Amino acid sequence: MNPTQTIQQQKPEIRKSIYRRPLRQPRRKLEFQEMESRRCLSVDFVAHDIGPNEIQLSGTIRVADFDMDGDLDFATFAHPESGVDTHVSWYENLDGKGTFGPGQPINELPITWIEVADMDGDGDPDLVSASYSFTDPDPQGQLAWYANDGQGNFGAPNVIGHDDMPQFFTISDIDGDSDPDIVSRFQGRIAWHENIDGQGTFGPQTPVATLENQLYKVKTADVDGDGDQDIIWDSYEDSTLRWSENRNDKGDFGPERVLSATADNVWNFAAADFDSDGDTDVISATAFSEKQQLSLYENSDGNGDFGKERIVATGPHWTVATADIDGDGHLDLVAGVRNDVVWYANTGRAFGPEQFVDKVGVSFTIANSTQPADIDGDGDIDILVNVFSNEREGRIVWYENRSIVRSERIIGDANNDGRFDSSDLVLVFQAAEYEDDTPGNSTFEEGDWNDDGDFGSEDLVLAFQLGEYEADVVAATESIFEEAGIAKLIDPL
């Protein structure tokens, strides 16, 4: 029986399209290029609206198990510019499958950003917020955290600091003592606050950089591969991305270094190992410049020397987030672009073309936050999104990933022995269905590895590009192709 038919009988609404591969380090450093001729396995999404528009012009979404019941809830906030009463609320995942209850308020301050972490070391996720008034001519901002009792009941604000206009921040262990500290962007500077006792008692600001130009986001990552958290930020007025080295794992930061001098008006960015070579790369998103694109900056040497900008996709990108959407072991990209929510598959060698999660429609102008997470607990990555319109109406939607049935089976492993090697190629060519005239007659065991029902060159290209074949398969492949009278399809690594 065709394995696709078996899956469909068990759960008709799900179509098998991905086989998850074990993670492996590549055999060489990978080069990212345009991938127009490469075929990515499809992923299908189904949209689920979450309640009425009670959060208008909403801000960032953060996901966590706030009530400690084993599933993922989420928190978001009304932006101070929304014209409504500003507050942070969390939404309970009632059944663990993505049915959400009404918002439960945590505070009623003019919030500009939120993050989630266990600030007091008691094992449950607490909430941290930055706030200040957009209307106050002399705004006095505040960083604060709210303790969670493990059931989603949050206490009064624990003030970290009263600072002028805290707008964005991130949470990371800056000083290497295994508790969460806070790195913040303020008006004209970046600073961090130490979690002194691991229970949420914070010290004063420690300066990192003084900024002549306005920045937007600040994030942390191990840029130079020395095991501690460095700081990355964008400076969109002078079109740069910059970073500062954590020199001793204690929060002693060196002078700022230019990551890219061509990052024109960056609106968002993500830092992760996109090419599977073990170091931190950066993807930037621009929406308000002539470029309007996603750009990749590869960490060339693992020490924080970055290569030239490479275009991943064009168009005004508002957000960018990372997750393994298709279950192949590589970090894909999820983005809000134009009026749509899209994703880009990462094969480990290149990012594929734009694939729609949802065409939101022209009435919605921005997908303001995209948060990948397993909302329904089925083992694959769904996407939680908020959008808002010109009429300042907000909508929170989660998109269920309906395509992935996860398996440990390796692409190309036709005989199911746990590896892709010459014996698999012998088996599939013996089936004599390679590019025959009978549509839809091939199973996985007969060479249909991209799940289109047929065994053809695209299946072989896919299997070899994923890099799972054994070392001796190169010579064996050439001899098999010669015996079958088939030209060599690709140049193996």
Side-chain angles (χ1 to χ4, degrees), residues 127-170:
L127 185 131
V128 186
S129 70
S131 61
Y132 75 91
S133 173
F134 275 70
T135 58
D136 190 337
D138 185 23
Q140 179 69 26
Q142 175 178 288
L143 279 172
W145 70 277
Y146 301 80
N148 181 5
D149 67 357
Q151 299 181 15
N153 301 308
F154 290 86
N158 299 286
V159 176
I160 298 168
H162 288 288
D163 304 295
D164 58 309
M165 299 181 70
Q167 293 172 308
F168 300 98
F169 66 90
T170 189

Side-chain angles (χ1 to χ4, degrees), residues 224-289:
D224 54 3
D226 63 353
D228 55 32
Q229 293 295 295
D230 310 303
I231 299 177
I232 311 170
W233 67 91
D234 65 85
S235 180
Y236 63 77
E237 288 184 354
D238 65 355
S239 300
T240 62
L241 280 165
R242 299 171 183 264
W243 72 282
S244 180
E245 179 189 357
N246 189 343
R247 293 185 290 195
N248 58 3
D249 195 26
K250 300 297 182 184
D252 175 23
F253 286 90
E256 61 187 77
R257 298 170 59 179
V258 175
L259 188 155
S260 171
T262 61
D264 190 15
N265 295 102
V266 171
W267 189 248
N268 209 326
F269 67 90
D273 182 10
F274 296 110
D275 53 4
S276 303
D277 64 350
D279 55 36
T280 298
D281 312 299
V282 174
I283 292 276
S284 68
T286 58
F288 296 111
S289 68

Side-chain angles (χ1 to χ4, degrees), residues 52-53 65 67 83 100 120 142 149 154 192 202 208 210 266 268 287-288 344 360 372 396 408 435 440-441 443 462 465:
N53 297 330
D65 185 7
D67 52 3
F100 288 91
D120 51 7
Q142 175 178 288
D149 67 357
F154 290 86
W192 71 281
F202 283 87
V208 174
T210 300
V266 171
N268 209 326
F288 296 111
Y344 302 92
V360 177
I396 301 175
E408 294 296 334
E435 295 191 348
N441 67 327
T443 66
L462 173 67
Q465 285 179 340

Side-chain angles (χ1 to χ4, degrees), residues 57-357:
L57 196 58
S58 56
T60 299
I61 293 177
R62 289 294 179 260
V63 172
D65 185 7
F66 290 112
D67 52 3
M68 303 296 288
D69 63 351
D71 55 39
L72 291 178
D73 315 300
F74 74 92
T76 189
F77 61 94
H79 198 277
E81 291 183 327
S82 65
V84 300
D85 292 336
T86 56
H87 59 276
V88 177
S89 294
W90 76 278
Y91 295 73
E92 181 184 357
N93 192 340
L94 299 174
D95 57 2
K97 298 180 180 180
T99 302
F100 288 91
Q104 303 181 49
I106 297 174
N107 71 11
E108 295 184 357
L109 295 173
I111 300 300
T112 60
W113 200 255
I114 61 171
E115 295 290 352
V116 173
D118 183 8
M119 306 306 292
D120 51 7
D122 64 352
D124 55 42
D126 308 305
L127 185 131
V128 186
S129 70
S131 61
Y132 75 91
S133 173
F134 275 70
T135 58
D136 190 337
D138 185 23
Q140 179 69 26
Q142 175 178 288
L143 279 172
W145 70 277
Y146 301 80
N148 181 5
D149 67 357
Q151 299 181 15
N153 301 308
F154 290 86
N158 299 286
V159 176
I160 298 168
H162 288 288
D163 304 295
D164 58 309
M165 299 181 70
Q167 293 172 308
F168 300 98
F169 66 90
T170 189
I171 298 175
S172 183
D173 182 15
I174 295 299
D175 54 2
D177 61 355
S178 301
D179 57 38
D181 309 303
I182 296 178
V183 179
S184 305
R185 163 219 159 171
F186 302 93
Q187 191 73 8
R189 69 187 186 281
I190 295 173
W192 71 281
H193 291 266
E194 179 187 358
N195 189 340
I196 297 173
D197 57 3
Q199 299 179 20
T201 303
F202 283 87
Q205 277 190 30
T206 301
V208 174
T210 300
L211 310 169
E212 296 181 1
N213 297 293
Q214 180 75 339
L215 77 154
Y216 191 57
K217 296 287 173 57
V218 58
K219 299 185 180 182
T220 63
D222 184 8
V223 175
D224 54 3
D226 63 353
D228 55 32
Q229 293 295 295
D230 310 303
I231 299 177
I232 311 170
W233 67 91
D234 65 85
S235 180
Y236 63 77
E237 288 184 354
D238 65 355
S239 300
T240 62
L241 280 165
R242 299 171 183 264
W243 72 282
S244 180
E245 179 189 357
N246 189 343
R247 293 185 290 195
N248 58 3
D249 195 26
K250 300 297 182 184
D252 175 23
F253 286 90
E256 61 187 77
R257 298 170 59 179
V258 175
L259 188 155
S260 171
T262 61
D264 190 15
N265 295 102
V266 171
W267 189 248
N268 209 326
F269 67 90
D273 182 10
F274 296 110
D275 53 4
S276 303
D277 64 350
D279 55 36
T280 298
D281 312 299
V282 174
I283 292 276
S284 68
T286 58
F288 296 111
S289 68
E290 292 183 1
K291 285 186 176 180
Q292 295 193 345
Q293 63 194 35
L294 280 181
S295 301
L296 169 69
Y297 306 91
E298 182 184 357
N299 195 335
S300 303
D301 58 2
N303 296 318
D305 294 318
F306 288 82
K308 293 182 179 180
E309 175 184 66
R310 301 181 187 178
I311 298 175
V312 175
T314 58
H317 287 72
W318 309 103
T319 67
V320 60
T322 63
D324 184 7
I325 297 297
D326 54 11
D328 67 349
H330 301 297
L331 286 175
D332 309 307
L333 303 177
V334 179
V337 54
R338 298 179 299 274
N339 309 110
D340 309 312
V341 182
V342 303
W343 73 284
Y344 302 92
N346 179 4
T347 69
R349 288 167 170 78
F351 287 103
E354 175 183 279
Q355 301 184 61
F356 285 101
V357 176

